[in-house]
Amino acid sequence: NLIEFNKSRDFKISDLFEVLSKPKKKYKYNNEVNLISAKNNNNGIRGTIISDENTFEKNKIVLITGGNGGAGLAFYQNADFNISSATKVLNPINIVLDNNIGIFISLILSKNKKLYSRGHTWTLKRINDTIISLPVNKNGIIDYEFINSLFK
């Protein structure tokens, strides 16, 4: 189904998120967490591993930047996780991210699947320059209420 926004605005990824390869905070060790890799299914989850200094806290989006079959996909992570190669993490800086918003933005970002493949990866520059169109309210602010209403 096509979702029509009453009003939308284009946003650069770099205006909403910072792109990370490694976590900014030290993480509590010895918890089992998901390992997100360059997969095209199962929310990018390859399996589980024991957490370490490379573990990210939940509430982030993982981009599959390369690999066979998953390049160009985005997966919202609602649990703590680690990443493998061919992935980057979007850490929210100027956007409120929760489960619904994360899934919604991941779906929009995953439209980039057709642009990227094993030979044409989603590089850091390409990620930061990626434009997504999001619904906005009359003040031009992201319309979180509208997005959440889509999940009811």
Side-chain angles (χ1 to χ4, degrees), residues 65-72 112-122:
T65 58
N68 193 13
N112 287 293
K113 170 98 174 96
K114 62 186 175 215
L115 299 175
Y116 301 108
S117 64
R118 195 165 188 84
H120 187 71
T121 60
W122 211 353

Side-chain angles (χ1 to χ4, degrees), residues 64-80:
I64 309 302
T65 58
N68 193 13
L73 293 177
F75 298 109
Y76 174 71
Q77 301 302 315
N78 65 357
D80 298 346

Side-chain angles (χ1 to χ4, degrees), residues 33-49 62 64 66-68 75 77 81-87:
V33 296
N34 291 328
L35 175 64
I36 312 303
S37 65
K39 289 185 58 155
N40 64 2
N41 59 20
N42 198 30
N43 208 38
I45 300 169
R46 178 191 298 168
T48 58
I49 61 171
V62 175
I64 309 302
N68 193 13
F75 298 109
Q77 301 302 315
F81 64 96
N82 274 37
I83 58 172
S84 65
S85 61
T87 57

Side-chain angles (χ1 to χ4, degrees), residues 100 144-152:
N100 292 347
Y144 298 108
E145 189 176 318
F146 173 77
I147 295 171
N148 277 306
S149 75
L150 299 172
F151 290 84
K152 293 180 180 173

Side-chain angles (χ1 to χ4, degrees), residues 8-17 63 90 105 107-112 115-116 122 124-134:
S8 66
R9 191 172 118 206
D10 290 343
F11 295 88
K12 275 179 78 169
I13 290 298
S14 58
D15 293 333
L16 302 174
F17 298 94
L63 301 179
L90 296 183
I105 291 174
L107 289 170
I108 291 173
L109 285 166
S110 290
K111 290 169 48 179
N112 287 293
L115 299 175
Y116 301 108
W122 211 353
L124 181 59
K125 178 169 178 19
R126 289 177 182 148
I127 293 167
N128 279 318
D129 290 344
T130 296
I131 304 286
I132 58 173
S133 186
L134 296 174

Side-chain angles (χ1 to χ4, degrees), residues 23-29 52-57:
K24 292 182 83 169
K25 296 182 194 175
K26 290 289 183 200
Y27 186 82
K28 53 192 179 293
Y29 293 102
D52 61 17
E53 70 275 2
N54 295 315
T55 299
F56 288 89
E57 291 182 346

